[in-house]
Amino acid sequence: MTKEQLLEIVDKMTLDEKIGMVHGSGFFHNDGVDRLGIPDIMTSDGPMGVRGEFFDSKWISLNYQDDLVTYLPCNSALAATFNREMAHSEGSVLGAEARGRGKDVILAPGINIKRSPLCGRNFEYFSEDGYLTAELAIEFVKGVQENDVASCVKHFALNNQETERMAVDTEMDRDILKDTYLEVFRRVLTEGNAYSVMGAYNRVFGDYCCENKYLLDDVLRKEWNYDGVVISDWGGVHDTYKAAVAGCDLEMSVTDNFDEYCFAEPLKKMVSEGKIPEDVINQKVYRLLLMMDRLHMLDKKRQKGSYNSRSHQETAYNVASESIVLLKNESKVLPLDAEKQKRILVIGDNAIRQHSLGGGSAEIKALYEINPLLGLKEYLGGNTKIDYISGYDADIAPDSTEINWQENSLEKVNVEENEQLKKVSIERREEVLNALRTNDYDSVIYVGGLNHVLDREGFDKPDMKLPYGQDELISSILDIRKDAVVILISGSSVEMSSWIDKADTVLWSYYNGCEGGRAIAHTLFGDNNPSGKLPETFYLKLEDCSAFSVGEFGREDIVHYNEGYEIGYKYTDKHGIKVQFPFGYGLSYTSFAYEDEKISSDNVLTVTVTNTGDMDGKETVMVFGDNLKSKVRELIGFEKVAINAGEKKNVTVSFVSGYKNVSTQRIPE
């Protein structure tokens, strides 16, 4: 429809009908206008899958059995693939499943930069690097929206900590803000053409993001000419006037007093009294109608979508497989020989834990979830005996199938230190060590890390340490079996310094969706050659992260981003700080050699890459350059390519213009 036709519809609406469209009348939808053929806009959480159904005005699951969906790898896992096609494919699956469930807006992806490893929602975000985040998120958004579903990119902006997220203010240099954190949003919203964006909970320069004139009016509307819908985070609007005139379009919240929302009766009253021009409301309704028109909600010519299809599950497996990062393989223990495995010991709670029903609003009801132990047993079959011992007592993550934590999420939360995280089970540990001493296992596989007790919305981690005494347990296992395979599953980097030098074999996995356990099993036995690269720095200690050594993190009043441009590897590289594993790191079962690197005048780097090993594999060619303005060296191009054993390929990588000393070397010699 033309702009004029949409505005004609607005002109036909009463003020009450307009007000009904700009605020939630249920927890996940607004009001439509039946007489004009305008349906409700149905939203859903979903960075890792479409969330289950709740009562319209109670945060209690309806416990349906028809809202089970494909559980997708988290955005951090997707980032570890360094694969734009994978990002598009996963976005397309999410969009199709949202449409199949009758949704119009999927609240994803999260594209906040990983400024600190302690942020509880890091698993929902891609990377510490803005370029990598934008390149993948652009494709993710395109994939979602090709299914007639709007992607709602979040959280705009500077939502980099969960501590006091409803009140904390953020301060930094405005030029640096635009060049870094906002640049990611600019690219995803404009190049990805995302139809909507979600305002964050926190404040920026003193004003809440959902009522922030600088962010929503000066930058978003005027500088970027963005014509999409701004949706508040649930409970992110505090002041009717400020939010209305700043450019927020749709207010959503977590309480059931829908008529009392800022954009409900209070907004109607201010319009009636002449304090807010009705044309302000008209613009909001127009943008909502424009989005609906783009989604074919008005002409009813929409795709029907689908969920739980075999192709969706295959995509989940493919992303999971490419995201696994091989951190160490010094003694070439991997890949294991399946024919030699008569008896295996598997240790660790993450070998059997299901992660889909945790993490806060990222939770979903998965049709199925293959954990690593199940994946191993499926792969090896009945000729291999697999013993399992937990090794430690892990507590249970919050589960919303009964009553949801979200009902109280707007209140100030004083997070008490969880003593369970420090609890060490001597009995469980001795059970493991006794088994190792008294049995002749062909292989020992440890599967630990974090879970959604720590990686979750509304909560930041207290430190980078593994909980439940895992460091001591891993170290003790390695004292007896140096060839033990250590697998860690987490949403962000963890400290490994107390045992990493003892370990010869370490695999890393983010929360990897319904096929994660199969992907791990296939990687262990060589059916999948690991090709994942770390999308974030793994620090030796927390103080090596610039958010702590230069800037601030976790404060409850104002957080100052004093580190400026020096985020993640851009800080550690510049200052020569040793790390555990660097950004972009990841081994393979084969090896690759680079030669004949050349740069053309049209911002293209070509290099010949040879697979010098005896296994087919995939390599990611990364291009870095010196940013003369920020004085940091950063990622400006990448391309992932499959190369057969012994094969040579000429790889072409387009890179961002305006950089000096461009090469594949992150730290020039």
Side-chain angles (χ1 to χ4, degrees):
M1 299 177 73
T2 66
K3 181 176 182 179
E4 289 72 23
Q5 289 173 317
L6 294 174
L7 289 175
E8 285 180 9
I9 297 175
V10 176
D11 288 341
K12 295 177 182 177
M13 295 171 62
T14 66
L15 178 58
D16 282 337
E17 289 170 336
K18 296 171 188 175
I19 292 294
M21 283 194 67
V22 299
H23 75 87
S25 58
F27 284 150
F28 287 102
H29 68 88
N30 67 348
D31 272 342
V33 183
D34 288 341
R35 69 180 184 87
L36 297 176
I38 302 171
D40 300 357
I41 296 173
M42 303 299 298
T43 71
S44 176
D45 285 308
M48 297 160 70
V50 188
R51 199 176 185 185
E53 299 293 340
F54 291 83
F55 284 94
D56 209 32
S57 58
K58 292 186 291 186
W59 284 109
I60 301 176
S61 171
L62 285 166
N63 287 321
Y64 289 162
Q65 292 303 302
D66 59 359
D67 55 355
L68 302 163
V69 296
T70 306
Y71 172 33
L72 295 166
C74 68
N75 284 344
S76 297
L78 190 55
T81 71
F82 275 74
N83 190 325
R84 296 177 182 86
E85 291 181 4
M86 287 289 180
H88 191 103
S89 295
E90 179 162 322
S92 183
V93 169
L94 182 59
E97 298 225 340
R99 186 80 284 276
R101 284 270 307 279
K103 309 302 179 184
D104 307 308
V105 180
I106 193 75
L107 308 177
I111 64 170
N112 295 100
I113 289 176
K114 290 191 177 189
R115 178 175 176 257
S116 156
L118 300 189
C119 177
R121 299 187 81 169
N122 271 350
F123 70 97
E124 294 186 52
Y125 305 144
F126 287 82
S127 172
E128 68 184 31
D129 183 78
Y131 176 78
L132 175 61
T133 297
E135 288 291 301
L136 297 182
I138 286 167
E139 290 302 318
F140 187 97
V141 167
K142 290 178 179 178
V144 168
Q145 295 187 165
E146 67 191 16
N147 295 280
D148 293 340
V149 171
S151 179
C152 186
V153 178
K154 61 186 187 182
H155 307 88
F156 190 62
L158 297 184
N159 185 188
N160 301 111
Q161 71 174 52
E162 292 297 285
T163 301
E164 284 301 307
R165 63 179 181 160
M166 301 301 302
V168 68
D169 196 3
T170 45
E171 291 279 352
M172 68 181 300
D173 179 272
R174 295 198 182 208
D175 285 341
I176 297 175
L177 170 63
K178 285 186 178 181
D179 292 343
T180 54
Y181 299 94
L182 296 190
E183 176 63 8
V184 179
F185 278 93
R186 184 195 68 78
R187 291 198 60 207
V188 177
L189 293 178
T190 58
E191 296 176 39
N193 193 29
Y195 296 154
S196 63
V197 60
M198 181 187 293
Y201 279 132
N202 52 282
R203 305 174 195 249
V204 172
F205 305 137
D207 288 322
Y208 287 106
C209 290
C210 295
E211 38 196 71
N212 194 303
K213 185 179 184 300
Y214 171 73
L215 289 177
L216 302 185
D217 189 15
D218 296 347
V219 174
L220 190 68
R221 300 298 187 195
K222 294 177 181 176
E223 291 187 24
W224 300 350
N225 295 313
Y226 182 67
D227 64 358
V229 172
V230 175
I231 303 175
S232 78
D233 205 341
W234 269 233
V237 174
H238 304 262
D239 185 292
T240 299
Y241 181 83
K242 284 186 176 181
V245 300
C248 183
D249 297 314
L250 175 59
E251 181 197 5
M252 303 297 290
S253 193
V254 300
T255 55
D256 61 3
N257 56 334
F258 305 112
D259 290 339
E260 297 174 18
Y261 284 12
C262 291
F263 277 13
E265 287 301 319
L267 179 57
K268 178 183 176 182
K269 185 172 185 290
M270 295 191 84
V271 172
S272 299
E273 293 174 351
K275 295 178 180 178
I276 295 177
E278 188 166 349
D279 190 56
V280 170
I281 315 303
N282 293 342
Q283 286 299 311
K284 300 180 190 307
V285 174
Y286 164 75
R287 285 192 285 263
L288 289 166
L289 290 174
L290 177 61
M291 180 182 74
M292 297 172 78
D293 183 56
R294 287 167 168 166
L295 300 177
H296 299 286
M297 294 177 66
L298 301 180
D299 62 15
K300 316 298 184 187
K301 298 177 181 179
R302 303 187 75 185
Q303 297 185 54
K304 65 183 180 66
S306 64
Y307 57 111
N308 291 321
S309 70
R310 184 62 194 139
S311 65
H312 292 179
Q313 294 157 6
E314 289 172 355
T315 295
Y317 171 80
N318 291 336
V319 174
S321 297
E322 281 207 20
S323 74
I324 293 172
V325 184
L326 180 60
L327 297 179
K328 295 187 75 174
N329 196 25
E330 292 180 358
S331 300
K332 306 300 181 186
V333 169
L334 297 180
L336 299 171
D337 186 341
E339 296 300 319
K340 295 180 180 179
Q341 307 301 315
K342 303 306 178 186
R343 191 175 185 186
I344 292 175
L345 176 61
V346 176
I347 308 159
D349 178 76
N350 271 349
I352 62 169
R353 178 166 294 241
Q354 291 192 318
H355 297 286
S356 54
L357 260 176
S361 59
E363 68 191 11
I364 65 161
K365 293 167 66 176
L367 178 66
Y368 69 90
E369 179 180 350
I370 305 297
N371 61 48
L373 182 61
L374 177 56
L376 284 167
K377 289 191 171 186
E378 282 184 347
Y379 186 88
L380 291 170
N383 291 337
T384 302
K385 178 175 173 53
I386 300 180
D387 297 337
Y388 170 74
I389 305 173
S390 66
Y392 57 90
D393 292 322
D395 47 1
I396 305 301
D399 183 340
S400 74
T401 55
E402 296 297 329
I403 297 178
N404 197 283
W405 60 273
Q406 210 147 354
E407 190 170 2
N408 300 316
S409 65
L410 301 188
E411 299 177 8
K412 177 180 172 65
V413 178
N414 294 314
V415 180
E416 297 180 1
E417 194 166 4
N418 188 344
E419 291 300 322
Q420 177 69 15
L421 300 175
K422 297 181 179 180
K423 185 177 179 181
V424 177
S425 174
I426 303 299
E427 180 182 353
R428 295 276 187 271
R429 185 188 301 175
E430 284 304 313
E431 185 181 3
V432 170
L433 301 182
N434 183 60
L436 291 173
R437 295 186 190 105
T438 57
N439 296 284
D440 186 19
Y441 290 107
D442 296 300
S443 294
V444 176
I445 300 170
Y446 179 87
V447 190
L450 304 185
N451 55 41
H452 285 309
V453 175
L454 281 165
D455 281 329
R456 61 182 168 93
E457 181 178 355
F459 177 78
D460 288 324
K461 295 180 281 290
D463 51 47
M464 289 172 55
K465 297 185 181 301
L466 292 173
Y468 319 120
Q470 290 184 75
D471 288 321
E472 296 90 340
L473 175 60
I474 295 171
S475 185
S476 298
I477 292 169
L478 293 171
D479 284 339
I480 300 174
R481 290 290 300 259
K482 185 170 176 57
D483 65 340
V485 178
V486 178
I487 302 172
L488 296 181
I489 299 173
S490 174
S492 58
S493 61
V494 297
E495 189 177 313
M496 309 178 194
S497 55
S498 65
W499 53 264
I500 191 66
D501 290 340
K502 292 183 179 181
D504 282 350
T505 315
V506 183
L507 273 179
W508 177 268
S509 171
Y510 290 102
Y511 301 114
N512 234 343
C514 59
E515 292 284 338
R518 281 201 185 107
I520 285 175
H522 292 180
T523 302
L524 289 173
F525 291 97
D527 290 12
N528 172 57
N529 188 349
S531 63
K533 305 291 186 181
L534 293 180
E536 59 188 302
T537 301
F538 279 28
Y539 302 99
L540 284 169
K541 57 184 185 300
L542 193 58
E543 294 74 20
D544 295 333
C545 171
S546 61
F548 297 89
S549 57
V550 182
E552 298 171 344
F553 180 86
R555 290 174 58 96
E556 297 185 0
D557 48 3
I558 301 176
V559 176
H560 297 90
Y561 287 38
N562 297 324
E563 70 275 14
Y565 293 106
E566 297 179 12
I567 307 161
Y569 72 91
K570 298 169 190 176
Y571 172 72
T572 56
D573 285 359
K574 184 174 181 178
H575 298 281
I577 297 170
K578 187 179 180 181
V579 300
Q580 192 70 74
F581 297 104
F583 170 87
Y585 178 86
L587 303 175
S588 170
Y589 293 153
T590 190
S591 54
F592 299 95
Y594 289 36
E595 59 184 347
D596 298 329
E597 185 173 306
K598 298 174 184 176
I599 296 175
S600 66
S601 58
D602 54 353
N603 300 315
V604 172
L605 180 147
T606 58
V607 62
T608 301
V609 183
T610 305
N611 183 335
T612 57
D614 56 6
M615 182 180 288
D616 298 346
K618 293 183 179 180
E619 171 68 341
T620 300
V621 178
M622 303 181 197
V623 177
F624 295 85
D626 294 339
N627 187 321
L628 300 182
K629 179 179 179 181
S630 65
K631 304 296 191 293
V632 298
R633 189 166 177 80
E634 56 192 10
L635 182 71
I636 57 174
F638 64 89
E639 201 66 46
K640 193 166 191 176
V641 59
I643 309 177
N644 295 330
E647 182 185 11
K648 276 188 178 183
K649 272 194 177 178
N650 292 322
V651 182
T652 300
V653 185
S654 298
F655 59 84
V656 182
S657 62
Y659 286 77
K660 298 295 183 182
N661 302 318
V662 174
S663 75
T664 56
Q665 292 180 311
R666 202 182 84 245
I667 304 176
E669 295 177 351

